[in-house]
Amino acid sequence: METVLLVPVDDSVVFPNMTVTLAIDVGDADRVVLVPRKGDDFAAVGTVANVVERVRLPGGGRAVALEGEYRARIGAASTDASGALRVEVEPHPDDVPVDGRTRELEREYRAVVEELLELRGDDGRVAAFVRSITEPGALADTTGYAPDLTYEQKIDVLETLDVTERLELALKLQRERLAELQVRARIRDDVQSGAEKQQREYFLRKQM
């Protein structure tokens, strides 16, 4: 256990390996834990992050660039002499399961994400990024970048410590997104086909 400065996050979820810049002042802390808020409470799991850069904003404000390192369970909280809230954290780095079920989930997840990206018109860069990830836990965490997932869904992924279970959840969420996009694409194609049909009929009537 170590005790670090708690940084509440209200509108985004930061995962390990993510780099974010937040308009906050962390004093002289070199390491913090980023914890999403769930209503009036905090999530049970946060992301321990290293402070990689301090930035002074126009007007005198401060910001810090943070790099997520690993998940941690949130323990007891206390207030230090400056009034800042510090919490005990229990590090929970990812295991790397090598069983067949995990490998199968990895393959399915990559296939679903690539189909999603194709529907979205990805130029290949995001797909290449996903293909470059070799660890199953980090692969599941790419759901943190998904624009259509809710804040609550991303917290669920963050709080899922078991890597195989996290992949199962991430795959389920991405499949749901894919199904929604496929329905939208079909509706769009049907509307476009209907408009083209009406246009052809109109020109035929004009020529008769």
Side-chain angles (χ1 to χ4, degrees), residues 43 68 115 117 164 197:
E115 194 169 349
L117 293 172
T164 302
K197 181 180 179 182

Side-chain angles (χ1 to χ4, degrees), residues 3 10 18 32 48 51 58-59 65 68 74-75 82 93 100-101 107 128 139 144 149 157 160 182 185 187 200:
T3 301
D10 292 312
M18 278 189 178
V32 301
V48 173
V51 177
I74 305 305
S82 66
R101 175 59 179 156
R107 288 191 294 270
L139 182 65
L149 294 189
V157 175
T160 305
Q182 288 172 331
I187 292 173
R200 286 195 301 270

Side-chain angles (χ1 to χ4, degrees), residues 34-52:
L34 305 169
V35 186
R37 267 197 263 244
K38 302 172 70 174
D40 295 330
D41 300 318
F42 289 105
V45 173
T47 298
V48 173
N50 293 318
V51 177
V52 295

